[in-house]
Structure formats: structure tokens, C-alpha cells
Amino acid sequence: MSMSDDSRETNDDSAAPLIGRAATVVPGRFGEPVEITQTLPSRGNANAQPNRPLFLCLHGWGSNEADLADMMRYVAPYNDYVALRAPLTLQEPTSSGLFDQPGAYSWFHDSVPVGDDLDYDAFAAANAINDWVLDNVDINRDVVPIGFSQGGALAIELLRVRPQRYRAAISLSGFVAPGNVPGTTPYDDILADLNIPVFYGYGKADTVLPKYTIFETIAWLEEHTWLTEHGYRGLDHSVSLEEFADLRQWLLELDITSGII
């Protein structure tokens, strides 16, 4: 997929803040601007394999940047990655000897926002991620976002706000924003023409995402992307080794990874 320098080097008016109502779970307002301040890169400061695509790891609600970083050794151990910490703090890390606890963070002002709230928060978080990519990743390097739950929603949202920058996207137990708030999905009208590969994996026994949310996400992805989707019997809101095997095969077919494990 060709990418113009202009689309990769500059932000446009779509990045203007769009702010909704006050939130009740995480203090603040849905859609208020956020910033990426903490990251966890792979070996060599995520530059050990500069000729291969870089994975952008996006964790879920109440987790942190180490979560998906641990997963990458099963998915693409010979590619570089950078795991991003979500900008909203649910719980600060604590240090008490043997019982140190990592911090807990969120991309959104609720665990699974819906309606306009999700539109506002997904747009704000995707813009923060895009800004980080713009400032920190070589413009000539392919980037593949991979996310779980909230992070999976953002792996999709990134394609709606700056699709030219991403080689492919991976959404694990993710969900799609409705796109009802004007200005939050500036590339929806042309996204299907770009035919960006997307892997969507989900548990058929998911107790966090309603089935209709999963089906809506699949339908939207089928309409707007080059979708590969897999549902896993007995899997809750989680990931599995079977899912990783399917994902590795998909990445190999797209020549994103070497296929070596």
C-alpha cells in the first residue's frame, strides 16, 4: 500500500478536540485530549529489526504496557514492538517489597463506553496514539497496531482517523465505535477502498462484550476492511494459544513476520 509523505508527516483538522459529557467512572470528560507519556520498547529500543514492520501494542482496561509486551513473544518474537501505556490512571503502582503491584490504566473513561461516549473517547485516544507515532516512528517504517479489548477498539479506530499510516491492524476482543459524532471518523468513506488487512479474534463465550457488539464489529469490519475473523469456542474475554497460532499464520501470509517461532 502506497503512502504519501504528507499523510505520514502531518496532522490535519480531524485531530481537533471533540469533547462530550462529564464521565462518572474515570474523572474527566469523554473526548478530552490525552497524551502518551510511558512506553515499553522491545530490544534495541524497538530498532533491532528496522526493515520489518513495527508492532504497536495497546492494552485493555485496568492493565498496563507490560501486558501485550509479554504476548509478543508468542505472536511475533522477531519483530520490534513498542507497548504504550494508556493515559488515564485507574490505580498508581505500589511498591511494598514482595507485593509490588503494577499500575492500572485505561484508554477510555469507562471500561466499555457506548454511543457518543465511545466516539469521543476513541477519537481522543487514537489521536494521541497517532501523535506518538508521528513523533517517534520513522515515516518509512510500516506500523501494525495490535490491541486487546479497549486496545482492540483503538486498533480499529486508528484506521478511521489516519489509515494511510498503518500496514494492517489486529483487534483481539475489540469493538467498534458507532461513528455517530460528526468529525470522529474522517476516513470512513474511503476506508474500504484502501483494503487494509485486519485480523479480528474473539471468544464465543465472551462475558464482557455482548454478542450483538461482536456481530456489529464483524459487520463493520467486513464492510470497511480486508477482514479475517476467528471466533473461539469456550473462550471468554481473553486470548488463547489457538488464537495466536491463527494470528501467526495470518502475519506470515501478509509478510509482516517471518513465521519463525
Side-chain angles (χ1 to χ4, degrees):
M1 182 177 62
S2 63
M3 308 181 192
S4 68
D5 288 343
D6 288 344
S7 69
R8 302 179 74 162
E9 292 182 352
T10 61
N11 285 324
D12 55 27
D13 292 340
S14 68
L18 297 172
I19 301 175
R21 68 184 182 95
T24 57
V25 177
V26 179
R29 302 187 72 89
F30 291 100
E32 62 186 0
V34 291
E35 182 181 4
I36 307 301
T37 60
Q38 297 290 329
T39 64
L40 177 62
S42 59
R43 61 198 181 282
N45 197 30
N47 202 39
Q49 297 288 338
N51 295 322
R52 301 209 67 86
L54 173 74
F55 284 89
L56 199 65
C57 300
L58 310 171
H59 65 78
W61 164 269
S63 188
N64 57 67
E65 65 275 19
D67 188 12
L68 265 67
D70 290 341
M71 190 182 77
M72 291 308 294
R73 68 179 184 270
Y74 297 104
V75 174
Y78 298 105
N79 282 62
D80 299 324
Y81 67 80
V82 179
L84 307 185
R85 177 186 292 180
L88 303 178
T89 301
L90 304 177
Q91 179 178 316
E92 295 285 358
T94 60
S95 180
S96 56
L98 296 176
F99 300 100
D100 289 356
Q101 295 293 326
Y105 305 92
S106 175
W107 296 99
F108 304 151
H109 287 82
D110 202 343
S111 57
V112 184
V114 297
D116 290 358
D117 296 341
L118 178 54
D119 281 344
Y120 284 119
D121 262 2
F123 182 70
N127 280 323
I129 295 166
N130 274 317
D131 287 344
W132 186 90
V133 171
L134 178 69
D135 292 340
N136 294 278
V137 183
D138 187 284
I139 61 171
N140 296 308
R141 190 169 194 187
D142 286 336
V143 178
V144 178
I146 175 172
F148 173 75
S149 194
Q150 286 189 357
L154 287 172
I156 298 170
E157 186 73 13
L158 289 171
L159 304 184
R160 307 177 78 176
V161 299
R162 190 160 295 278
Q164 304 95 329
R165 188 62 184 93
Y166 300 100
R167 165 82 175 272
I170 301 161
S171 179
L172 308 177
S173 300
F175 45 96
V176 67
N180 293 329
V181 175
T184 57
T185 57
Y187 282 92
D188 273 12
D189 289 344
I190 67 166
L191 187 54
D193 297 332
L194 300 177
N195 211 29
I196 299 174
V198 170
F199 182 99
Y200 181 65
Y202 63 96
K204 291 185 176 181
D206 195 318
T207 56
V208 173
L209 298 181
K211 281 187 170 56
Y212 66 80
T213 296
I214 293 172
F215 295 152
E216 287 174 352
T217 300
I218 293 170
W220 189 92
L221 290 170
E222 284 180 334
E223 181 179 352
H224 291 87
T225 71
W226 178 17
L227 175 64
T228 297
E229 59 98 357
H230 290 275
Y232 299 93
R233 185 183 302 275
L235 183 66
D236 200 337
H237 195 67
S238 186
V239 294
S240 70
L241 292 178
E242 182 184 0
E243 186 173 34
F244 293 162
D246 290 334
L247 178 53
R248 286 197 303 269
Q249 181 62 36
W250 181 79
L251 291 167
L252 176 61
E253 291 170 358
L254 293 175
D255 194 30
I256 293 175
T257 66
S258 65
I260 300 172
I261 192 69

